[in-house]
Amino acid sequence: MNIHSSRESLIGQLKSAPVIHRHAHNPVLSPRQVPYGPAMVFNAGVAKYEGKYVMVFRNDYGNEETEEVYPGRTTNLGLATSDDGVNWQVQSAPIWQWSDEEVYRVYDPRLTVMDGKVFMCFAMDTRHGLRGGIAVTEDFAKFDVLSLSVPDNRNMVLFPERVGGRYMRLERPMPVYGRGGRDRFDLWLSESPDLIYWGRSSLVLGVEDVEYANDKVGPGAPPVRTKHGWLTTFHAVDIDPSRGKNGWESAWKKRYCAGLMLLDLDDPRKVIGQYRGPLLAPEASYEVEGGFRNNVIFPGGMILEEYGEVKIYYGAADTVECLATAHVDDLIALCLEGVK
């Protein structure tokens, strides 16, 4: 069997890893729990901060009955807190929205706690392209924007500590012109001395390195330090032209899965282990039906508990926020399967 047919065969039969467990109470956050009326709440960043779990989530608005999505300028970010990481109390109003003559919206937050502050990466749609940004907050009431990328770049996540004295982030630049006008996006790493100026960019993971992707790969949740390396999720996308109406749109041909890899502690440009299959593939009802875009899993938050449990938060069907768990030793073992 040639490489192409082998890849397509694997893509067609995706299953989640056996060590991962979807929470029985999924979705852990849905639109009906949010008092200001969004149609979709998803792609959240989650972290532990000042003794609580905190979640910053994306709100999009529309009409489910008519499958109408309201303009992107209505998108905003909401806040929820929790004592256990499962049951969430939602703040009564959105916490951040950015829309002006140039900026359409900000969305897809990712949270990293460093030096007693919360650093939030976010995506931004503008009149002149897609950008990624980093903001900092201590109270979720005021956000100071530290840096914005040039177009087109997004899906940024910060490492929770400096490596070699420098800040690190994973990102997904989007080179369309050089790829013949089509998707073919990869996962990169850049570094910074101050969270403002970024450079020394390097490719970490290409689409060709993920057997169940044929479209794009990019960062998921901010990496978690383990004694074996940086435990790192990513999103991986495949396209099947035969897919029909899989959501509100007339046709949704993509499927998003969550992948897992292990990066070197001292040089996170190096992938030292990678699970061959998807960590999470769309299978549950709230992932494959009834959503804005079905067949979508997008990891955005990961917490390693002291007792070894890893909580992975992910957007499902671009509509709700869900939780899956596994033991850290099992996840490391997945990454190191076949590594000599």
Side-chain angles (χ1 to χ4, degrees):
M1 181 179 291
N2 63 39
I3 293 176
H4 177 76
S5 60
S6 176
R7 177 183 293 267
E8 294 307 314
S9 175
L10 180 60
I11 286 176
Q13 54 187 15
L14 298 183
K15 296 290 184 183
S16 301
V19 305
I20 195 83
H21 306 286
R22 290 167 171 83
H23 200 278
H25 292 162
N26 273 346
V28 294
L29 190 69
S30 64
R32 66 176 179 273
Q33 296 167 255
V34 180
Y36 41 85
M40 299 87 84
V41 294
F42 61 108
N43 287 8
V46 185
K48 276 187 171 180
Y49 182 62
E50 295 186 340
K52 281 187 174 290
Y53 296 84
V54 293
M55 176 191 291
V56 177
F57 55 90
R58 168 179 172 174
N59 295 298
D60 280 31
Y61 297 79
N63 187 316
E64 185 176 358
E65 292 184 2
T66 62
E67 297 187 343
E68 175 190 9
V69 180
Y70 298 160
R73 290 185 183 275
T74 63
T75 300
N76 52 42
L77 302 183
L79 176 68
T81 60
S82 173
D83 292 324
D84 59 9
V86 177
N87 300 287
W88 295 88
Q89 294 76 49
V90 180
Q91 190 161 306
S92 60
I95 59 169
W96 199 38
Q97 182 170 358
W98 187 349
S99 178
D100 55 31
E101 183 177 340
E102 171 64 16
V103 177
Y104 296 140
R105 60 177 178 172
V106 295
Y107 56 98
D108 287 2
R110 304 286 178 262
L111 304 183
T112 299
V113 177
M114 285 189 292
D115 304 326
K117 301 176 181 179
V118 179
F119 294 87
M120 184 176 75
C121 295
F122 58 90
M124 170 189 284
D125 291 350
T126 80
R127 290 179 59 217
H128 296 92
L130 309 176
R131 306 177 71 181
I134 301 172
V136 62
T137 185
E138 296 183 58
D139 57 8
F140 298 97
K142 181 177 183 293
F143 294 87
D144 294 319
V145 176
L146 302 177
S147 68
L148 294 171
S149 74
V150 295
D152 280 337
N153 196 355
R154 66 178 182 187
N155 296 125
M156 296 173 177
V157 299
L158 281 175
F159 285 71
E161 60 188 72
R162 299 168 185 83
V163 180
R166 299 176 72 83
Y167 297 97
M168 301 281 172
R169 78 181 183 197
L170 300 175
E171 57 196 9
R172 194 193 73 186
M174 304 166 73
V176 175
Y177 180 79
R179 294 289 179 86
R182 63 186 180 90
D183 285 7
R184 188 74 179 185
F185 308 145
D186 310 301
L187 191 156
W188 288 67
L189 180 144
S190 293
E191 63 179 62
S192 170
D194 56 7
L195 291 170
I196 299 173
Y197 300 102
W198 293 87
R200 296 189 64 189
S201 303
S202 303
L203 177 69
V204 174
L205 190 73
V207 175
E208 67 276 8
D209 300 318
V210 181
E211 295 183 47
Y212 49 94
N214 63 14
D215 181 51
K216 54 191 172 186
V217 298
V224 167
R225 172 187 270 275
T226 74
K227 62 183 179 180
H228 298 282
W230 293 105
L231 190 63
T232 306
T233 58
F234 58 89
H235 65 273
V237 184
D238 73 273
I239 290 181
D240 182 347
S242 69
R243 292 181 182 134
K245 184 173 171 57
N246 291 306
W248 293 16
E249 299 172 308
S250 58
W252 174 244
K253 301 176 182 180
K254 297 179 181 180
R255 172 175 53 184
Y256 280 67
C257 295
L260 188 72
M261 62 182 173
L262 197 63
L263 305 179
D264 187 85
L265 284 176
D266 298 320
D267 184 3
R269 292 173 175 81
K270 296 179 181 178
V271 179
I272 59 176
Q274 179 187 336
Y275 180 49
R276 180 174 179 265
L279 178 66
L280 279 167
E283 296 169 307
S285 60
Y286 44 82
E287 299 161 356
V288 301
E289 61 187 35
F292 169 55
R293 287 175 171 167
N294 297 319
N295 300 319
V296 173
I297 287 177
F298 204 107
M302 181 165 57
I303 294 174
L304 173 57
E305 304 287 9
E306 292 180 358
Y307 51 92
E309 182 184 69
V310 178
K311 290 183 171 71
I312 299 174
Y313 296 89
Y314 64 97
D318 277 3
T319 305
V320 294
E321 188 67 20
C322 296
L323 169 63
T325 61
H327 195 279
V328 64
D329 292 344
D330 293 332
L331 295 178
I332 296 295
L334 285 183
C335 292
L336 296 180
E337 283 181 357
V339 176
K340 297 181 179 179

